[in-house]
Structure formats: C-alpha cells, structure tokens
Amino acid sequence: MPTGALIEFTNISKRFGGVTAVNDLSFTVKPGRVTGFLGPNGAGKTTSLRILLGLVAASSGTATFGGVRYRDLPHPLQTVGAALEAATFHPGRSARDHLGVYAIAAGLPRTRVLEVLTQVGLAAHAAQRVGGYSLGMRQRLGLAYALLGDPGVLVLDEPINGLDPEGIRWIRGFLRDMAAEGRTVLVSSHLLSEVQQSVDDVVIIARGELIHLGPLSSLDTDAAAQTIVDSPNRDALAAALTTAGISFSIGRTGLLAATSDPALLGHLAFEAGVELSVLHRQKAGLEDSFLTLVGGGHSL
Amino acid sequence: MISFLRSIAAEFAKIFTTRLWWILALVLFGYIGLLAGGLAVLFSGLQTGVISPDTVNTGGGELSGFGSLPPIIYSFASSIGYVFPVLIGALATTGEFRHQTLTPTFLATPRRGVVLGAKTVTLLLVGAAFGLIALAASVGIGGGIMSAFGVDALLLDPETWLLVARSVLAMALWAAIGVGLGVLVPSQVASIVIVLAFTQFVEPLLRLAASFLEVTAKIGNFLPGAASDALVGASIFNLMTPAGAAPLDWWQGGLVLLGYAIVATVIGYAVSWRKDVT
Ligand SMILES: Nc1ncnc2c1ncn2[C@@H]1O[C@H](COP(=O)(O)OP(=O)(O)O)[C@@H](O)[C@H]1O
Ligand SMILES: [Mg+2]
C-alpha cells in the first residue's frame, strides 16, 4: 500500500506580470487525511497547485512532497497523482491510448490503464475518442490519470466540477477511502458545501493569501447555531418547545429551534411523548463562516 | 537515460495513436506519386518519341540536353515532399500546447529538456519514415513508369541509392525543423501558416531572386530548401533557376539543415517550452 508524503508549501508567491496570484503562502497537508483547499474563484488555488507540481515556476518560495520538489521525484507518477482543472486531452485519442502514452512515459505496466479506467467507471468507454466525452467523463478520465501510478499523494483541482449527483457521491466516498488507506489527499474547491462531507482539514485562501487553516470543525464558530427538529405531530412538538421556553421558527424541513444541542430537544420530545422524524444541527453555519472568511462571498 | 528512452517510446505512442500520421503519409504518397508519375510519363514519352515534342508548348529542344532525368524525378520525394515532415513535426509540438497535453506530459516527465529531446529523436525517425514513403512513390511509381517506357531508370546505379539515402536524411532533418518551429511558434494556426507560406511561396521566390546575383546566390544557398536540395544532390528547382553560385556540398547542406533544427529548437525551448504551463 503506498504511503502518503507530507506536502509543504513554504512562503510561496507568484506574480503574473503585475498581478499577484499567490502571496507568501505557507501550509502543510498531512497524510491520512483529506484536506480541502478552498477559496473563491481567482483566489490562487490552481496557481498554487501548479506550482506544487512544477508546472508553474514560483516567484519565490518552495513547495515539496516529503521535502522533495516535484521535478526531483525519481518516480513522479508513482508518488503523486494529479488531476487539474483543464481538459488536457487530445480529442482524437481514445481514453486507453491517452493513458497508455503516460503509462509508457512513467514506466508503468500497460495493465494499469484498464485497471484505473475500471476504477473510475470508464472501462466501457476505453476505446472511445475523448473528443466525444461529456464533462463528467473527462473529470473521471483526469482522475484515472492521477491514479495511474497508484500514488501515495493525490492533488485534485476542482474534481467535483461537472460531475452528476451519482458521480459526486462516488468521489466523496473515493476521497475518504484514499485517505483511510493512508494517502495524502489535497482537493480544491470554490464551494465548501461541495467538499464539506469529505474533508478533515481546510486551508482557505482568498486573493492569494492564507485566511484560515485547521480542522473542518474549526469553521464551526457559529454561537447562535440552530437545530432542525420535526415530528409527524408538529403541533405537539411546537407546544413542547414553547413549554420549555425554546424559541423556534418554522422552516422548510421542520422547526428551526434556537439551540445548538440536539440532545436537549430529544429529551424534551421524549418527556412530552412526541415522536421525532427529524433531528439534526443546522449545518449552514460552516458555509456562512466560510463566506465571512473569504470576504462576503462575492464572485462565488 | 532510462527516462529518455521511455520518453521516446511515449512520443512514438503519441504520434501513432491519432489519425494525423497516416493521413499525412497517404497524401504525401499520393502527391509525390502523381507528380513523379506525371513527369515520368511526360519526359520518357518525349525522350522515346511516344509523345511528339510539338504537342508540348515548351518544346523538346532543351530536354534533349537533359541527360539525367531519373534523379530529378526521384528527388521529388524531398524537394517537393519536405513540407510533410515539417508539418508533422510542427503539429507534434503545437498540438501539445493546443490540447494542453503539456500538463500530463510534464507531470509524467518533469524534466522538460528530456521531453523535447525525445520529441526531436522521435520526429527524426518519423521524418525518415516519411522519406521512405515519399521515395516509394517517386522511385516506385516514377522509376516504374520510366522503365515501362524503356528509359533507363538508373535503378542499378549506386548514385541513385545514395540519393535515396540522402533524401531520407533530409526528410528526417525537416521533421526536426518542424519540432523546432513548433516550440518557436506554439500557436498551431500560425505555425501551419508559416510552414505553408514559407515552403510554397516565400522561399521559392527568395531562391529565385537570390540566384540572379553571384553574391546573393551564395547567401541563397543557405536557405533551408536550397540546403536540402544540396544535401539530396538533385532538384527540379535547379532546372528552373538561372545558373547561380555553385550549390553547397551535400554534407554542407546537411549541416545547414541540422543547424536550422538546433537553433529553432534551442530558442523555442527558451521562449515557450520551459515557460509556465497554466
Ligand atoms: N497565466 C496567467 N497569467 C496572468 N494571470 C493569471 C494567470 N493564471 C492565473 N492568473 C491570475 O491569478 C489569479 C489566481 O488564479 P487561479 O490560480 O486560477 O485561481 P483559482 O484557481 O483559485 O480560481 C487570478 O487573478 C488569475 O487571473
Ligand atoms: Mg482554479
């Protein structure tokens, strides 16, 4: 089983002419966890990842895998798998041949090609020219490329863009599985909600600068959190809440109770003999604090 | 070293997994076969009297002094066919920029100089293969027709086979020049326009213009097409221009072509290949 390496960004800056795309960015990404690299469009995520992969030269700073720069890795595809945003295929080449070219370049056995195509659910389209692929299929092919060398580190730029709901569910499980196997998983997104269910840690940037860094729960700072609760007998539930002095409003999926403690509501309902059909903490607080962090959520 | 060999194998796979190579090869064979065959019919017909000189406007007078027809016809492979290896070389590099395949390429082989070197080696071999295809057309069809007319096609003359070998070398170098042009001008459309305009229009005119004066003719010898014809040792083009300066030796012509390929590739590496891939 491949083991993940620590990714380290150290004082990375990048200027494109007059534009500062990334400014003095430092953070680490640990193996065995899924790290969400978040920020609005234009925040500098793609640029940072391309610097990490040696595709873009940093104006200053270093980015390494276990202390080694990408271009100094003896077996790059076997160490780091990357899927970047853009569609990087020759439209006239089949998926099998596309991957075959890079399997040859990396000295990987040809059997890996069909293995990874099967893994991402494209085996049936292996011989089809990529030009006819849908956006979702291209995303999967990009992922297949990343998996080709069975690497210990995965670097994925907006992998959820363009996937259908089934694909989104699949990739979330996939990211969790990869981290559970001990790999390092760095995945970027401009939407927290897109990756919220899969990430352990978050690194948030805006305008090229680091804004926030920590476990996902560190975003959960909303003191006035709410709990959604509902019952087949909503009137009885409302009466029980009123009796207990807990204020609430009526929301789309139930009653929005002004408490951050679901257990308290469960206890109240039990005492009052009211059956519950819904009981969970309102999660919108994460997205709200994310938007606050990145500056009001403009351009999201 | 092993990474260089793998990179070469990958570059070969890139060429042969899209349809471009055989489309170009087919057109090359057809085009050269048609021209070589057509001229072989015309000239052998005139020489053997099957076609009366009166029916040809140019008149047969100057053709009688024209001892060695076969090399001219065989050299069509390179003197006319050279645009094909340039095109496949240029498309092999500009295609990487256009389809953004530089990203997976550089991820698999982060040493960019290794990739460009592997591409050059690969295209030298592909260009040589294109040379063989073009010669199959010019020697096979042109020579076949001359033999059918009873004209000596010089197929047993070692000079003919030296010309074939030098033509293969020229075609290989042209493909490497295409790679260099592709990194120098990464825009695919611009590259194709430059190849077609230069080979079909600009250079022939320059060569013609240069040939009128002794001193410019010497400079004109260093134009890539003139150098290529010098390397091959025969060209239809030499018949159409006034006698200027003596052409370069064959090996000088080869070195001049090699020089173009190296200069274009090295400058292209600096201006596009090693730049940010965004
Ligand atoms: N090749 C480039 N030339 C000039 N500016 C660029 C280039 N690539 C990115 N930028 C700029 O850098 C900033 C960050 O872009 P990017 O890294 O793509 O952000 P993200 O991936 O977070 O959306 C943007 O302002 C963008 O316009
Ligand atoms: Mg981006």
Side-chain angles (χ1 to χ4, degrees):
Chain A
M1 186 57 60
T3 50
L6 187 73
I7 301 175
E8 283 176 285
F9 285 83
T10 312
N11 306 114
I12 288 285
S13 294
K14 177 65 182 182
R15 282 175 296 280
F16 288 110
V19 181
T20 300
V22 182
N23 189 16
D24 198 25
L25 189 61
S26 298
F27 64 93
T28 60
V29 181
K30 295 186 205 73
R33 301 173 73 82
V34 179
T35 302
F37 187 35
L38 307 170
N41 287 324
K45 303 180 298 293
T46 300
T47 303
S48 305
L49 297 182
R50 285 190 173 267
I51 289 171
L52 174 65
L53 297 164
L55 295 167
V56 165
S59 303
S60 62
T62 55
T64 57
F65 299 88
V68 183
R69 284 181 309 177
Y70 189 86
R71 69 175 150 108
D72 295 327
L73 292 171
H75 303 288
L77 285 199
Q78 288 89 329
T79 314
V80 179
L84 294 162
E85 210 172 2
T88 53
F89 321 106
H90 189 297
R93 203 172 274 139
S94 70
R96 196 178 47 204
D97 288 339
H98 169 73
L99 295 177
V101 164
Y102 305 107
I104 294 171
L108 291 162
R110 285 297 289 244
T111 51
R112 276 303 288 163
V113 170
L114 208 58
E115 280 171 28
V116 294
L117 283 173
T118 307
Q119 203 175 343
V120 302
L122 281 179
H125 304 280
Q128 191 180 325
R129 273 200 223 93
V130 178
Y133 271 27
S134 68
L135 181 55
M137 290 164 80
R138 287 169 194 225
Q139 285 281 29
R140 285 168 186 260
L141 181 55
L143 215 52
Y145 175 76
L147 295 172
L148 204 53
D150 194 19
V153 180
L154 282 174
V155 176
L156 311 175
D157 194 12
E158 309 254 2
I160 295 176
N161 255 355
L163 288 184
D164 53 16
E166 189 268 322
I168 294 177
R169 197 163 51 242
W170 172 79
I171 199 168
R172 283 178 176 155
F174 167 81
L175 295 174
R176 299 281 356 136
D177 292 346
M178 289 288 128
E181 289 172 4
R183 297 180 217 243
T184 311
V185 182
L186 178 60
V187 50
S188 84
S189 176
H190 61 283
L191 290 173
L192 173 65
S193 54
E194 224 176 42
V195 293
Q196 188 177 326
Q197 300 176 20
S198 343
V199 300
D200 302 296
D201 295 327
V202 291
V203 174
I204 299 175
I205 64 169
R207 292 168 298 277
E209 295 188 11
L210 185 68
I211 299 288
H212 179 88
L213 178 134
L216 179 66
S217 58
S218 66
L219 282 179
D220 205 354
T221 53
D222 192 354
Q226 292 178 313
T227 301
I228 299 176
V229 58
D230 206 3
S231 162
N233 186 353
R234 195 180 273 183
D235 291 341
L237 177 64
L241 289 180
T242 310
T243 309
I246 295 171
S247 64
F248 62 89
S249 56
I250 298 174
R252 195 165 34 83
T253 54
L255 305 179
L256 259 67
T259 170
S260 58
D261 187 0
L264 171 66
L265 296 180
H267 182 71
L268 280 175
F270 178 73
E271 294 273 89
V274 178
E275 179 189 346
L276 289 186
S277 54
V278 173
L279 178 63
H280 63 83
R281 274 192 69 196
Q282 172 69 286
K283 277 299 209 178
L286 288 182
E287 191 74 34
D288 286 344
S289 41
F290 171 62
L291 294 182
T292 310
L293 282 170
V294 299
H298 55 77
S299 85
L300 269 171
Chain B
M1 188 61 206
I2 183 101
S3 126
F4 187 54
L5 293 178
R6 279 181 187 146
S7 209
I8 290 173
E11 291 301 325
F12 266 103
K14 283 179 191 171
I15 299 272
F16 293 113
T17 51
T18 65
R19 291 176 290 188
L20 179 73
W21 73 272
W22 64 257
I23 293 174
L24 282 180
L26 215 63
V27 176
L28 171 65
F29 186 87
Y31 184 39
I32 300 302
L34 210 65
L35 287 178
L39 252 81
V41 168
L42 182 64
F43 288 162
S44 345
L46 289 170
Q47 229 169 46
T48 55
V50 175
I51 300 173
S52 152
D54 300 339
T55 61
V56 183
N57 283 338
T58 54
E62 54 186 39
L63 284 170
S64 55
F66 172 86
S68 203
L69 176 62
I72 301 289
I73 287 180
Y74 300 158
S75 70
F76 277 10
S78 58
S79 66
I80 293 177
Y82 74 105
V83 62
F84 289 83
V86 183
L87 273 182
I88 198 168
L91 291 172
T93 27
T94 56
E96 301 263 26
F97 289 95
R98 175 160 179 216
H99 303 298
Q100 298 183 297
T101 41
L102 284 178
T103 292
T105 297
F106 290 159
L107 287 177
T109 315
R111 301 277 167 184
R112 299 189 185 183
V114 168
V115 179
L116 192 53
K119 211 179 257 303
T120 299
V121 170
T122 302
L123 267 297
L124 278 169
L125 293 169
V126 170
F130 269 35
L132 291 174
I133 290 165
L135 286 156
S138 68
V139 179
I141 296 174
I145 287 173
M146 285 185 280
S147 304
F149 271 92
V151 173
D152 183 5
L154 302 179
L155 291 178
L156 297 176
D157 188 337
E159 270 304 318
T160 299
W161 297 102
L162 283 174
L163 179 137
V164 164
R166 292 192 306 260
S167 298
V168 170
L169 179 59
M171 294 289 268
L173 290 169
W174 277 114
I177 289 176
V179 171
L181 176 69
V183 277
L184 208 52
V185 185
S187 153
Q188 191 157 73
V189 173
S191 243
I192 293 173
V193 168
I194 288 173
V195 170
L196 295 181
F198 190 81
T199 61
Q200 306 305 303
F201 185 67
V202 177
E203 177 166 38
L205 279 184
L206 279 177
R207 280 174 78 179
L208 189 64
S211 63
F212 287 110
L213 286 175
E214 177 80 26
V215 52
T216 52
K218 281 212 171 88
I219 300 168
N221 277 339
F222 288 88
L223 286 167
S228 174
D229 288 345
L231 165 59
V232 171
S235 167
I236 183 76
F237 202 87
N238 297 339
L239 294 181
M240 306 190 295
T241 44
L248 299 174
D249 282 336
W250 72 268
W251 59 270
Q252 289 171 325
L255 286 180
V256 169
L257 275 194
L258 181 66
Y260 277 109
I262 291 173
V263 167
T265 307
V266 168
I267 297 177
Y269 177 82
V271 299
S272 74
W273 199 254
R274 68 182 177 87
K275 287 286 156 71
D276 289 346
V277 182
T278 57

